[in-house]
Amino acid sequence: MLVFIAILLSMTQVLAVKWELKFIDPVIPEYPESMESVSYLLGSMTPYHAPKTCTESKALLVMRHGPKFPKQNVMDKFKKLNDFQNKLKSLYSNNNDAFKALSTDSQFVIEKIMKWENKMTSDEAKAASDKGKLTTQQLGKRWKTKLINMVLNIKNEDIEFISAPENRCIISGEEFLSEFLTIKGQLVVEKLPEVKNKGIDDSRIKLAKGPKIPETEKNIEDLYYEKMCPEKECDLKTRIRNLLFPDGTPDFEVSRDEITSDVVLTMYLACANSFGYDYTDNVQGHAWCTLFNYKDIKMFEGMHDIQYYHKNGYYNNKTKNFGLPMMNEILNFLKNTTTKKFKLFSAHTSNCLSLITGFRLYQDDENLTLENMTKDNTMIKRKWRSSFIGNYACNVMVVVYSCEHTENAENKEPQEVSIYLNEKPLIMISEEKKTCTQCPIEDVKNLIEKLLIDANNELKLAESKIVEDTPDKSSS
């Protein structure tokens, strides 16, 4: 009897699930509260209103190159990690009893480090890696799917390819275009467009960053790390020492002392950079990541965030306006009816972040400072997260659509625009407080013009304040 009841209950649950199958209601369009919308609201008294259809007509893409090798000075430091690996191998590879005597946590970490392979030894520190090329190829494939109508009708003369002079940027642009312009294994154009502006100091791409920091001074990310992991009192350093060379064993004292705060940073960089390489199942490519927990990684994320905030973010009037030349380029692209169908700018992380800053996205109410970024949880909910907005192949795509509207549609503008950040459409708010992701072209042009005017007024005000604050030497 109990078995029969169980079967009956099971059948009832299946039937209940089946009854849950249903259609999802389509979203009903919202019409403006005006007499122009009356014809839509009279029900069966009015003809069927065909939905608006839009086809992409042209697009502009600003793209950061794919991943690259770490800097040469960082790769040189990785050689020290090989020394630690060899030390661990000599201790435990042929001594299972000694390995078993370690804590479970130490066994887990050490086993992976002993199987680590250092692929980051190339002297081509500024080259594009294989994974970087694949990243930009996949980006091209995804954008091709979204802009297929434009790609099918494009010609060589319709494309403009501009790149920063660095080889990794040129290669990344070429890899993107090779996939973007290929359908069923064949290029839709005669050949890939040639790169322009190679080696030219183009203000749209080459940011006017000013003089470099003297070697006697430290970068903001170094100051941040010194506060978070000071040499004398760094809990993270102590934890890593205990994992690799447990405290209390005399033979380990020299090895423990060799793990300095700087070495801990090198271990983190070995972890972070390892994701730019492919490893086999038998090789622990990300072995150094096992030394860190989620809180540690969040600390290092803060190091990157404050670095980019100072260099390409809202640190001061100069850094927050590095993106103005590219914003002007976008505005001209929207205004000019004879522009190319597709324009590609292949550059760096700084270019993506500067354009994001120029759009006034991810701006926190409170400035990111060394003080508040190194206090527990003070800026934990910050909007400025470079790990999400400035990652590999970061991209900003501006797409212009030619649209067919119904006869009584309120919007008579034949073109609309969507701006995508990392392939997600940005939401724009118009003066009437309405939101859109595919917006009338005039509204988008007006918004960018307003951002440019406001930014230039800010810069003029800052310059005049500098003049006012400068002492008049002639009166002294």
Side-chain angles (χ1 to χ4, degrees), residues 162-181:
I162 301 172
S163 174
E166 290 80 8
N167 196 47
R168 61 186 180 274
C169 298
I170 297 169
I171 290 174
S172 294
E174 291 171 343
E175 294 295 336
F176 173 89
L177 289 170
S178 66
E179 184 58 54
F180 182 67
L181 299 172

Side-chain angles (χ1 to χ4, degrees), residues 243-256:
L243 277 171
L244 299 183
F245 304 103
D247 195 9
T249 306
D251 294 342
F252 291 166
E253 287 184 8
V254 173
S255 297
R256 285 173 60 83

Side-chain angles (χ1 to χ4, degrees), residues 151 154-156 159 181 186-193:
V151 174
I154 208 163
K155 299 176 181 177
N156 274 97
I159 306 168
L181 299 172
Q186 296 291 324
L187 277 174
V188 296
V189 292
E190 296 175 4
K191 60 179 181 178
L192 287 180

Side-chain angles (χ1 to χ4, degrees), residues 461-476:
L461 184 63
E463 288 174 3
S464 64
K465 192 174 186 308
I466 291 172
V467 172
E468 289 175 5
D469 292 344
T470 303
D472 185 358
K473 294 182 180 180
S474 62
S475 61
S476 59

Side-chain angles (χ1 to χ4, degrees), residues 218 220-231 261:
K218 292 189 176 180
I220 186 67
E221 61 268 31
D222 296 324
L223 295 172
Y224 169 92
Y225 181 67
E226 285 179 7
K227 290 200 73 169
M228 298 303 290
C229 187
E231 185 55 46
S261 291

Side-chain angles (χ1 to χ4, degrees), residues 39-57:
S39 63
Y40 289 98
L41 308 175
L42 298 179
S44 62
M45 303 302 293
T46 60
Y48 167 66
H49 296 286
K52 176 181 65 178
T53 58
C54 298
T55 304
E56 60 274 12
S57 59

Side-chain angles (χ1 to χ4, degrees), residues 114-131:
M114 287 195 298
K115 294 180 180 179
W116 174 61
E117 180 182 325
N118 182 9
K119 288 195 173 186
M120 298 169 283
T121 56
S122 170
D123 58 357
E124 298 179 7
K126 293 187 177 182
S129 65
D130 290 339
K131 184 162 282 190

Side-chain angles (χ1 to χ4, degrees), residues 61-301:
L61 173 63
V62 179
M63 182 189 76
R64 181 245 200 227
H65 61 78
K68 63 182 178 65
F69 293 107
K71 293 180 180 179
Q72 188 62 53
N73 65 325
V74 175
M75 287 193 288
D76 292 339
K77 291 182 177 181
F78 289 159
K79 295 174 184 177
K80 180 65 177 176
L81 302 187
N82 287 112
D83 294 339
F84 285 117
Q85 182 191 44
N86 292 331
K87 174 71 173 178
L88 295 170
K89 284 181 177 180
S90 67
L91 287 168
Y92 303 115
S93 290
N94 299 310
N95 192 341
N96 194 48
D97 290 339
F99 183 75
K100 292 290 185 183
L102 296 169
S103 69
T104 303
D105 289 341
S106 290
Q107 288 181 31
F108 176 77
V109 170
I110 290 171
E111 185 175 28
K112 290 186 179 298
I113 290 175
M114 287 195 298
K115 294 180 180 179
W116 174 61
E117 180 182 325
N118 182 9
K119 288 195 173 186
M120 298 169 283
T121 56
S122 170
D123 58 357
E124 298 179 7
K126 293 187 177 182
S129 65
D130 290 339
K131 184 162 282 190
K133 296 174 186 177
L134 180 62
T135 298
T136 49
Q137 287 172 1
Q138 291 172 334
L139 180 67
K141 186 176 183 178
R142 292 193 300 273
W143 272 118
K144 173 177 60 183
T145 303
K146 294 176 184 177
L147 304 178
I148 187 65
N149 292 304
M150 186 186 73
V151 174
L152 284 170
N153 296 291
I154 208 163
K155 299 176 181 177
N156 274 97
E157 58 266 27
D158 297 328
I159 306 168
E160 186 174 7
F161 172 26
I162 301 172
S163 174
E166 290 80 8
N167 196 47
R168 61 186 180 274
C169 298
I170 297 169
I171 290 174
S172 294
E174 291 171 343
E175 294 295 336
F176 173 89
L177 289 170
S178 66
E179 184 58 54
F180 182 67
L181 299 172
T182 297
I183 295 182
K184 294 183 179 180
Q186 296 291 324
L187 277 174
V188 296
V189 292
E190 296 175 4
K191 60 179 181 178
L192 287 180
E194 292 184 4
V195 63
K196 293 183 178 180
N197 291 347
K198 182 179 178 181
I200 297 177
D201 191 13
D202 191 324
S203 62
R204 295 167 297 180
I205 291 178
K206 203 72 175 176
L207 305 180
K209 294 184 178 180
K212 291 184 178 180
I213 295 176
E215 292 184 3
T216 54
E217 298 180 25
K218 292 189 176 180
N219 287 301
I220 186 67
E221 61 268 31
D222 296 324
L223 295 172
Y224 169 92
Y225 181 67
E226 285 179 7
K227 290 200 73 169
M228 298 303 290
C229 187
E231 185 55 46
K232 291 184 178 179
E233 301 174 357
C234 181
D235 293 337
L236 174 57
K237 180 185 67 177
T238 301
R239 175 153 44 90
I240 290 175
R241 282 179 170 181
N242 286 332
L243 277 171
L244 299 183
F245 304 103
D247 195 9
T249 306
D251 294 342
F252 291 166
E253 287 184 8
V254 173
S255 297
R256 285 173 60 83
D257 290 342
E258 288 178 344
I259 300 178
T260 62
S261 291
D262 186 59
V263 168
V264 170
L265 178 59
T266 301
M267 291 170 172
Y268 163 74
L269 292 173
C271 160
N273 282 285
S274 66
F275 289 94
Y277 303 83
D278 288 317
Y279 290 90
T280 64
D281 293 337
N282 296 324
V283 177
Q284 297 297 324
H286 316 312
W288 298 101
C289 295
T290 61
L291 293 170
F292 307 102
N293 57 34
Y294 183 76
K295 186 178 178 181
D296 301 331
I297 299 300
K298 293 290 288 182
M299 181 270 285
F300 283 113
E301 182 194 39

